[in-house]
Each structure stands twice: as C-alpha cells, then as structure tokens.
Amino acid sequence: MGRYAYFTQNVLGLMAVVVGAIAMLMRVFDGITDPLIGYVLDRTNTKFGRFRPFMGLGSLIMCVCILSIFHAPQGMSSTAAYVWATPARPQSPRRLRRC
C-alpha cells in the first residue's frame, strides 16, 4: 500500500481519503471473490493441472496492472486519475508477498 499511496497522492495528486476508499473497496471485493475463485479452483481439472492456467492468467494481469499504475498519462484530470488508479490497484504488496 505504501508505494501505491505515495504514487497516487504525490504524483497523481489524488486525495488520501479517496485512495484509502479505493483500497478498502478492493479488500471488500477480495472478500467476495476469493471464496468464489477458490470454489472454481477446487473444481478445475485441465491437462495443464489445477492451478497452472490460473497462475499464467494471474501473472499476465499482474504485469499489466504493475506497468499501468506507474505509467499514467500526463495531464489527466483528477476524475480521470481516480478512474486510472482504481483498476490498477490489484497489484498490492500483500499480493506480491504471496508469490
């Protein structure tokens, strides 16, 4: 959260309250989707294994998110910056430590 908060507040110029709300909403979203993803993972059986397809897809998503958050277009309005920062939030340090 530290690098994300620093970048969104000091570089993009977003308000700390909104950045915190984005982080909170992402945690709520995780709380809803994690059991659903677990259910799907438990019932997946492919020729590549149970988890490998999801690991590949997750790696691609993480790469896009990490690259996109730190390459925001110049001259965005504050509304556009909020919209830009929200989908890129899934790359959190908590998730990176799981790897």
Side-chain angles (χ1 to χ4, degrees):
M1 179 69 185
R3 284 171 257 154
Y4 175 78
Y6 175 82
F7 183 77
T8 53
Q9 292 171 29
N10 297 328
V11 177
L12 294 181
L14 304 180
M15 292 183 348
V17 172
V18 178
V19 173
I22 290 170
M24 181 197 65
L25 290 174
M26 286 298 151
R27 298 290 186 205
V28 170
F29 181 76
D30 279 346
I32 295 168
T33 59
D34 283 353
L36 297 173
I37 295 299
Y39 178 81
V40 171
L41 283 173
D42 288 342
R43 283 151 183 77
T44 299
N45 193 8
T46 67
K47 67 178 183 177
F48 301 111
R50 293 176 80 177
F51 304 111
R52 196 168 289 157
F54 295 101
M55 288 172 46
L57 179 63
S59 296
L60 291 174
I61 292 170
M62 289 293 290
C63 287
V64 169
C65 289
I66 289 171
L67 291 174
S68 69
I69 187 65
F70 296 111
H71 291 89
Q74 296 293 326
M76 287 192 298
S77 68
S78 62
T79 304
Y82 288 123
V83 170
W84 182 269
T86 300
R89 173 65 182 122
Q91 59 84 21
S92 69
R94 179 184 65 90
R95 288 188 180 269
L96 294 177
R97 276 184 247 137
R98 275 195 228 164
C99 296

